Amino acid sequence: YPVALETWRGFVFINLDPSPRLKLGEAVAGEEDWLTAWPLEQLTLAHREAHDIACNWKVFWENYMECCHCPVVHHDLVRLVPHYGEGLNEREDLPADNPLKVRPNPLKDGAVTWSDDGQTTLPWFEGLGDAERDAGMTFSTFVPGIFLVGHVDYVRTVRVRPLAPERTQLIVDWFVSPAALEGSPLDVERLVAFGRQVVTEDAQVCEINQRGLRSRAHREGVLTPPEYDLLGFHDWVRDRLGSGETPPVRIVEPRR
């Protein structure tokens, strides 16, 4: 069966439509620029694991697009990334007088990467500028198939594979520089433990959400202002489905 293939930085993207209306670069709207400083083509796969989730693939992406769930679901993550504890994806969404907004690094004091203690024994990637190092984490999102997270010492990717209406598989890869595999054996558990924990916590809450969608009492939901990325994802899905007019959207302010 003919399909469309495109490559980007060593990754292969497949479109089941042999003549897609949008090329990859058009479809991802600049997301490919976020990881320019990382040597993706030169990285080595250090570990791979698969997680099966009892939810629709869109439920997973909805969870990814917002952090309102973070304070009650990701207790260790919000300690590592303090503004996640405010239920916000970006520090820019914090009030102007919030001290978290002007911190040089979104990670907690002294942390440099996503790990149990925020530290790393791996070599840092060469070529990263101050902005990339200070960011602590840089996301690049290619809906509906994959997102990548660049850190100073490794890159993690999560591929999203729909398997059934209420079953999705996540394939999680950890990539490091070839230099990280020289000398002492790589401590794989230290590398993957934190990311695995976050994926597992997200999987659990996605499955709860999916069960709620089956409830006869479910009619519709509402969006809060910090869920603007989620609104964009809903618009993306409607556009691809060709569902016609956009239904009215209710955005409510959260209770204080």
Side-chain angles (χ1 to χ4, degrees):
Y1 186 84
V3 297
L5 296 177
E6 290 193 65
T7 60
W8 172 80
R9 306 287 308 278
F11 293 86
V12 177
F13 291 81
I14 300 173
N15 193 318
L16 297 181
D17 183 348
S19 301
R21 61 172 178 162
L22 294 176
K23 295 294 185 181
L24 178 64
E26 299 171 301
V28 299
E31 286 291 319
E32 72 274 19
D33 296 334
W34 289 107
L35 295 176
T36 300
W38 276 262
L40 299 182
E41 300 91 337
Q42 303 169 21
L43 301 187
T44 299
L45 177 64
H47 183 71
R48 170 177 293 167
E49 56 190 44
H51 297 254
D52 282 7
I53 311 178
C55 75
N56 185 272
W57 66 273
K58 295 186 292 295
V59 170
F60 172 79
W61 278 115
E62 286 184 322
N63 174 268
Y64 170 81
M65 294 291 177
E66 52 85 7
C67 209
C68 296
H69 69 281
C70 290
V72 294
V73 174
H74 300 303
H75 296 155
D76 290 329
L77 178 59
V78 301
R79 282 192 283 269
L80 179 66
V81 187
H83 71 264
Y84 284 173
E86 303 291 325
L88 301 172
N89 284 5
E90 305 291 343
R91 286 191 297 171
E92 289 73 16
D93 297 329
L94 290 163
D97 59 350
N98 191 304
L100 293 176
K101 192 166 187 173
V102 296
R103 289 167 52 88
N105 189 323
L107 304 185
K108 69 178 182 180
D109 290 340
V112 298
T113 191
W114 277 30
S115 66
D116 287 337
D117 59 3
Q119 303 302 310
T120 182
T121 59
L122 299 177
W124 289 27
F125 292 121
E126 297 181 1
L128 300 185
D130 291 342
E132 289 84 14
R133 289 191 291 267
D134 291 344
M137 54 187 184
T138 300
F139 286 79
S140 188
T141 305
F142 296 75
V143 175
I146 186 174
F147 70 86
L148 306 88
V149 193
H151 301 283
V152 296
D153 56 334
Y154 71 93
V155 171
R156 181 169 60 96
T157 70
V158 179
R159 285 179 283 156
V160 183
R161 293 183 59 200
L163 300 179
E166 294 189 10
R167 186 174 167 225
T168 299
Q169 184 181 67
L170 305 180
I171 302 174
V172 189
D173 291 336
W174 284 260
F175 294 92
V176 298
S177 68
L181 302 179
E182 299 174 357
S184 302
L186 179 66
D187 187 345
V188 173
E189 185 59 27
R190 176 179 173 83
L191 172 67
V192 308
F194 196 84
R196 177 192 292 146
Q197 176 183 337
V198 173
V199 167
T200 300
E201 292 166 347
D202 280 329
Q204 292 171 343
V205 75
C206 285
E207 290 180 343
I208 293 172
N209 190 15
Q210 184 68 60
R211 292 197 295 270
L213 293 175
R214 292 201 301 269
S215 169
R216 293 181 179 180
H218 175 73
R219 291 293 180 269
E220 64 179 7
V222 298
L223 298 179
T224 59
E227 295 177 300
Y228 50 82
D229 280 339
L230 187 51
L231 175 59
F233 175 65
H234 289 173
D235 291 340
W236 181 92
V237 171
R238 281 190 290 263
D239 178 64
R240 268 65 181 174
L241 292 176
S243 56
E245 295 184 3
T246 301
V249 176
R250 286 195 296 138
I251 299 179
V252 300
E253 290 288 346
R255 294 178 179 177
R256 299 296 183 185

